[in-house]
Amino acid sequence: MPICIECRHPVKTLWREGAGDKSGGHNIRLTVCKNCGRFCDKYVEHDFVVLFIDLVLIKPQVYRHLLHNTLMKDQDEFAPSIIRLGVLLLLFDVYLTWARIEKQSLPFPDPDSPTGGGGGGGESNFGRLAQQPIVIQYIFFLILCTLSTLAFHGSIRFLTSSRYSPLSLLGILPQYSRPNSVSTALLVSSSTKLFPILMVIWEYDVPAAARSLGWAVVANNVEALKILLDCGYGVAALLATAGAVSRWVTGRAVLWAVGLEGADAVGETNVVADGRMLGVLLGYARDWASRLAVG
């Protein structure tokens, strides 16, 4: 049953047909929610550009529109548009991961060299992979990103939908019976990964972009999980963190197997480091506030 995106009250219909030009799509009249008095779903009349902008702005209403009123199926099946989005995100991950690791693996200048160029310290950590044909390299990064993505989704689906989930056993989060809807929420909230398409137009620092993009995706994942599961931000952040850790461990394991253990596969190493620094700063701020309150 659809819901009002403003107050989450269940409604029968989101719109009804009225007078007007049916060919132009102007015959739709939005339903007013009887609980809050606002339109049940204003995004029915909005195009995809507005939806994407509000997704980037992390507006809860657009997530409720997509997850509850548009994409969720009665039989918990993936919508065709979500499958296409998942494939597109995977291909973008392949491109970005390849570019990031290649940039991290550039030869470092040798200070002992008269020209400062590559010497003993300029050996690339690409190893045997860089000497393989381009198709083999692409297949490797495709496998790397596929396994990392499966680990990310699989860990969160287990924690939310499995009867053996520790969150369910401890009573922290009720068992959610629609695991495909969880993956749908994660894919929709990861649509900000498409921003690096701007690399085609402007050249920018890939590691810095990966760090900023990682934070944006994490924030969107937390909001999507909170809205879908109707839980608190703490539980949603715990789920997103568990998925990110699973993805990071899987990526590290694959890279270690081919001799690229020093590379950052998914751009989350810096995110973790920034998170630790943020935790330290918050600790200092809390201590300072407590001393100020006492003294």
Side-chain angles (χ1 to χ4, degrees), residues 137-275:
Q137 295 185 47
Y138 184 85
I139 293 176
F140 165 75
F141 286 108
L142 180 62
I143 295 175
L144 169 64
C145 294
T146 300
L147 294 177
S148 300
T149 302
L150 291 176
F152 175 70
H153 284 260
S155 58
I156 297 180
R157 287 165 65 108
F158 171 78
L159 291 175
T160 56
S161 304
S162 174
R163 68 174 69 179
Y164 304 107
S165 168
L167 298 182
S168 178
L169 296 176
L170 295 175
I172 299 176
L173 181 69
Q175 182 180 351
Y176 191 71
S177 60
R178 301 170 63 91
N180 287 340
S181 296
V182 175
S183 293
T184 297
L186 294 174
L187 290 173
V188 169
S189 60
S190 299
S191 57
T192 49
K193 287 184 178 181
L194 301 178
F195 271 121
I197 196 175
L198 298 177
M199 291 180 65
V200 179
I201 306 175
W202 296 291
E203 183 178 357
Y204 54 83
D205 189 3
V206 175
R211 178 185 301 186
S212 303
L213 194 63
W215 277 112
V217 172
V218 168
N220 279 273
N221 289 156
V222 170
E223 185 66 31
L225 291 172
K226 174 185 177 295
I227 292 173
L228 179 67
L229 303 174
D230 194 19
C231 61
Y233 279 109
V235 177
L238 177 62
L239 293 172
T241 302
V245 170
S246 299
R247 177 168 53 190
W248 180 80
V249 170
T250 303
R252 285 289 181 178
V254 175
L255 291 175
W256 175 84
V258 297
L260 289 173
E261 61 275 1
D264 179 16
V266 291
E268 290 172 347
T269 301
N270 291 327
V271 173
V272 174
D274 289 345

Side-chain angles (χ1 to χ4, degrees), residues 281-295:
L281 292 177
L282 290 177
Y284 283 133
R286 183 179 57 206
D287 294 340
W288 178 81
S290 61
R291 292 176 183 176
L292 184 64
V294 172

Side-chain angles (χ1 to χ4, degrees), residues 36-211:
C36 64
R38 290 176 286 184
F39 289 129
C40 293
D41 195 341
K42 62 183 179 180
Y43 290 106
V44 171
E45 293 185 325
H46 292 177
D47 55 18
F48 291 107
V49 176
V50 177
L51 293 177
F52 183 75
I53 293 174
D54 286 352
L55 278 175
V56 175
L57 297 177
I58 320 180
K59 291 188 176 182
Q61 291 85 352
V62 70
Y63 278 105
R64 296 187 186 117
H65 163 75
L66 292 173
L67 299 179
H68 290 280
N69 297 342
T70 304
L71 298 175
M72 291 179 62
K73 304 296 182 180
D74 294 336
Q75 303 299 327
D76 194 30
E77 299 176 351
F78 285 111
S81 58
I82 288 299
I83 297 177
R84 292 193 294 268
L85 176 62
V87 173
L88 184 61
L89 291 175
L90 178 61
L91 296 179
F92 263 79
D93 274 339
V94 172
Y95 172 71
L96 291 177
T97 303
W98 196 344
R100 187 181 306 119
I101 293 181
E102 185 176 18
K103 189 165 186 176
Q104 293 173 0
S105 303
L106 290 176
F108 298 100
D110 187 0
D112 296 333
S113 176
T115 60
E123 184 179 358
S124 172
N125 63 353
F126 255 126
R128 300 184 302 272
L129 181 62
Q131 302 176 2
Q132 300 296 325
I134 196 73
V135 176
I136 301 299
Q137 295 185 47
Y138 184 85
I139 293 176
F140 165 75
F141 286 108
L142 180 62
I143 295 175
L144 169 64
C145 294
T146 300
L147 294 177
S148 300
T149 302
L150 291 176
F152 175 70
H153 284 260
S155 58
I156 297 180
R157 287 165 65 108
F158 171 78
L159 291 175
T160 56
S161 304
S162 174
R163 68 174 69 179
Y164 304 107
S165 168
L167 298 182
S168 178
L169 296 176
L170 295 175
I172 299 176
L173 181 69
Q175 182 180 351
Y176 191 71
S177 60
R178 301 170 63 91
N180 287 340
S181 296
V182 175
S183 293
T184 297
L186 294 174
L187 290 173
V188 169
S189 60
S190 299
S191 57
T192 49
K193 287 184 178 181
L194 301 178
F195 271 121
I197 196 175
L198 298 177
M199 291 180 65
V200 179
I201 306 175
W202 296 291
E203 183 178 357
Y204 54 83
D205 189 3
V206 175
R211 178 185 301 186

